[in-house]
Each structure stands twice: as C-alpha cells, then as structure tokens.
C-alpha cells in the first residue's frame, strides 16, 4: 500500500572537490547531463514520485540553483518579443509552485548528515525523502517512485544496488536481516567498510525515505568517518529503532559525483534523445573503439 511522502530534501551544500576546477565558481549540482543540470533531474524524479514540497540545503556559492528554479523574467520577455513563445513557456513549465520550495543554508559543509539536519524545521512530523542529485537514474519507473510505491508508511527505506568486488568500500553497506527479494529488512548500515568487513554486497545509493526520528540522532552532532557528520551513522541507528528496509532499484544508476560516471550519464541520456542519437552513434562508431 503506497504511503504518502510529500516532502523531499535535496542536499546541495557540498564542495564538489572531485570536479575542480569547474566547481570553483559553478555548483556541482548545476553540471549538465545533456542540457539539464543534475539537480533538475532530481527534482523531476521527486515530482514523479508525488513530492509536493522541495527543500534545498544549499551553501556558499550555490545561488545558481535558486535562480534555476525561479522565473527568468527578462529572458522570458526577450524570447517572447522574438516570437519564441514555446521556448519562453518551456522555461517556466517545470518550476515548483510558489510557496512549495524552500532554501536553507548549510553554513559549513560538515557532512551529509549535517546537511539533512539543517532541514529539520521544514519537515514536521511526517516521513520525508532525501535525494542526492549526483546519483542519476535511467529507469522505466523513476527511482524514488519505486521506493514510495514499496514504502510501508513506517520507518525508513534506502535505495540499494548490488556492488561486486572491492568497490563496495566506496559505499554505505546494508547489514541485512531478512531478504525478501526486491525489498530487504535492514538491521544496520556500515559506512565504507573494507571489502572483507562488508556485511553484504548491497550498497546504499543516493535516495532515502526516513522519519523525523532521524533528527534525534543528528541532534547529537556526532562525527563519523572522515570527521564528517554521516547520514549513514544516523540511519544505522534508526534501523535499530524502527522498521528499516532496502529496495533493489530497477534501472541504471550513474554516479555523477565522479568524472567517468558523469560522462557515461551524458552519453546514455544523449542516446535516448531522438535529436542526438544518430549523430552521436555515428561519432562513437567512427572512433573504432573495441573494433
Ligand atoms: P558528496 O560527498 O558526493 O559531495 O555528497 P561533495 O562533498 O560536494 O563532493 P566531493 O566529494 O567533494 O567531490 C553528495 C551530495 O551531498 C551534498 C553534496 O552537495 C551532494 O549533492 N552535501 C555533501 C551537502 O549538502 N553537504 C555536505 O556537507 C556534504
């Protein structure tokens, strides 16, 4: 039975150091996949899952994100004056409704757990989603929708992906108590374990549903791996307090927080586009790679 998850938090306060120098003056979340910024895909996905309120946790130098989700009156007027009505219209069609978007600022990037904690006053007493814009999904059913459809209405849920080999050490990993196929019951999470210490091969990827109980843990402001306030630690605690599930996501995920993942996403999304597929395919063939 699908439960209502109405609010989503988008943590966008990080430094994006793996993409320097482009992220010196441009927020990582504004890097484009083809012609839409990463954050745009995350907001579209949230909307497709029924999210009504959008809460951004921003930081220094991130004002381009606010501008992206606002009217650009001058540009729209200019386009209209040139007869480009459809182009002007297409710029505002996807904007969140007035009063349905909120921005709060993480004054220092102290970690993902801290970023989510900064949104606490916007949440109230209801489960909410968290979407990390650097994980982008190509999926028949959008990732968060898969989660919301499977969510029981109680406790927490994370998106999970099977990771083979030593790569598991780059993720938060699920300690599974019961495997029911698509959905698993979780008793804990471990952040970036050594491959031999990983409790399973199921890694957490950047979509979450959690209850406000998570703030009881985050209020303590405890630091974890890398000296950061880790969301994984808070969720691991939450899994001991309430029902907690992982769901194997159907579809392909691109880790756009790293450069090769970002480039892969650009190719994959461009190949989905009728206006780009032929040109790009013939270019890739001309490279003769793997021939
Ligand atoms: P990452 O850890 O991948 O982003 O966080 P980062 O720290 O910006 O990137 P690198 O590792 O230095 O290259 C995933 C998401 O969480 C946000 C980021 O903005 C990104 O959207 N985040 C991370 C915060 O909002 N605050 C933080 O303190 C850390």
């Amino acid at each position: 039975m699908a439960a209502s998850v109405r609010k989503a938090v988008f943590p966008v306060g990080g430094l994006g150091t793996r993409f320097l120098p482009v992220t010196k003056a441009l927020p990582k979340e504004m890097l484009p996949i083809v012609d839409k910024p990463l954050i745009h895909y995350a907001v579209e996905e949230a909307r497709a899952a029924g999210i009504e309120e959008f809460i951004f946790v921003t930081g220094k130098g991130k004002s381009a994100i606010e501008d992206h989700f606002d009217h650009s009156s001058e540009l729209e007027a200019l386009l209209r004056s040139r007869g480009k009505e459809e182009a002007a219209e297409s710029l505002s069609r996807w904007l969140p409704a007035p009063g349905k978007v909120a921005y709060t600022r993480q004054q220092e990037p102290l970690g993902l757990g801290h970023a989510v904690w900064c949104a606490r006053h916007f949440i109230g007493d209801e489960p909410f989603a968290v979407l990390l814009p650097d994980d982008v999904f190509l999926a028949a059913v959008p990732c968060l929708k898969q989660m919301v459809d499977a969510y029981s209405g109680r406790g927490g849920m994370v998106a999970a992906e099977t990771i083979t080999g030593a790569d598991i050490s780059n993720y938060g990993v699920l300690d599974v108590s019961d495997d029911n196929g698509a959905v698993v019951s979780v008793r804990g999470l471990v952040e970036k374990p050594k491959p031999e210490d990983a409790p399973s091969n199921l890694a957490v990827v950047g979509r979450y549903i959690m209850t406000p109980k998570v703030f009881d843990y985050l209020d303590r402001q405890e630091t974890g791996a890398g000296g950061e306030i880790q969301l994984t630690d808070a969720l691991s605690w939450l899994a001991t307090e309430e029902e907690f599930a992982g769901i194997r996501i159907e579809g392909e995920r691109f880790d756009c927080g790293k450069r090769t993942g970002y480039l892969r996403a650009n190719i994959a999304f461009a190949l989905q586009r009728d206006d780009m597929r032929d040109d790009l395919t013939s270019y890739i063939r001309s490279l003769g790679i793997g021939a």
Side-chain angles (χ1 to χ4, degrees):
M1 167 63 179
S4 164
V5 181
R6 298 185 316 115
K7 298 184 182 181
V9 174
F10 302 87
V12 292
L15 297 175
T17 53
R18 284 172 289 172
F19 271 93
L20 283 169
V22 68
T23 45
K24 186 175 172 209
L26 179 77
K28 174 173 77 172
E29 301 78 9
M30 287 300 291
L31 291 174
I33 304 288
V34 185
D35 52 11
K36 287 190 290 192
L38 291 171
I39 187 66
H40 191 120
Y41 289 90
V43 167
E44 276 182 344
E45 183 186 320
R47 193 178 273 134
I51 297 296
E52 296 164 11
E53 296 187 26
F54 305 83
I55 302 146
F56 294 82
V57 181
T58 72
K60 203 172 169 49
K62 302 280 182 164
S63 56
I65 296 173
E66 293 181 44
D67 290 341
H68 184 74
F69 291 105
D70 197 358
H71 281 287
S72 177
S73 309
E74 267 180 37
L75 179 58
E76 286 168 36
L78 188 73
L79 289 167
R80 288 203 165 93
S81 75
R82 294 182 178 177
K84 298 187 171 174
E85 199 61 40
E86 165 56 22
E89 182 61 27
S90 72
L91 281 182
S92 55
R93 207 175 280 140
W94 41 264
L95 296 182
K100 295 291 187 186
V101 55
Y103 297 92
T104 187
R105 198 148 152 155
Q106 186 189 24
Q107 288 137 326
E108 286 177 278
L110 298 178
L112 185 56
H114 183 261
V116 171
W117 178 76
C118 287
R120 65 200 180 282
H121 294 301
F122 294 90
I123 296 302
D125 189 23
E126 58 185 294
F128 62 101
V130 175
L131 295 92
L132 307 190
D134 17 11
D135 270 335
V136 175
F137 292 83
L138 201 49
V141 179
C143 177
L144 188 65
K145 173 133 178 61
Q146 293 181 41
M147 297 174 73
V148 167
D149 287 348
Y151 182 55
S152 68
R154 292 180 304 280
M157 175 177 265
V158 290
E161 183 177 309
T162 302
I163 302 288
T164 47
D167 229 18
I168 196 80
S169 300
N170 297 318
Y171 293 88
V173 180
L174 298 182
D175 186 356
V176 174
S177 58
D178 198 12
D179 193 333
N180 307 308
V183 177
V184 302
S185 303
V186 173
R187 67 176 145 236
L189 292 87
V190 185
E191 180 66 14
K192 298 189 171 61
K194 288 186 191 145
E196 60 273 24
D197 297 335
S200 74
N201 61 3
L202 274 183
V204 179
V205 294
R207 301 290 183 273
Y208 314 78
I209 296 172
M210 60 194 83
T211 67
K213 193 163 181 57
V214 73
F215 298 123
D216 292 351
Y217 182 92
L218 291 172
D219 280 342
R220 300 183 207 157
Q221 303 277 291
E222 278 173 25
T223 53
E228 295 195 344
I229 299 174
Q230 295 284 357
L231 185 61
T232 306
D233 295 342
L235 297 180
S236 195
W237 173 82
L238 205 57
T240 64
E241 295 285 313
E242 11 174 83
E243 196 175 299
F244 204 93
I247 176 170
R248 294 184 170 96
I249 297 301
E250 301 275 336
E252 188 172 6
R253 177 186 64 97
F254 297 91
D255 178 1
C256 297
K258 64 178 197 193
R259 284 166 293 187
T260 50
Y262 172 71
L263 290 171
R264 282 177 189 221
N266 266 288
I267 294 168
F269 277 76
L271 289 172
Q272 298 287 310
R273 293 258 302 245
D274 292 341
D275 59 336
M276 300 176 75
R277 189 181 306 112
D278 291 349
D279 188 19
L280 194 55
T281 305
S282 77
Y283 173 66
I284 292 169
R285 288 213 177 100
S286 78
L287 296 174
I289 299 166

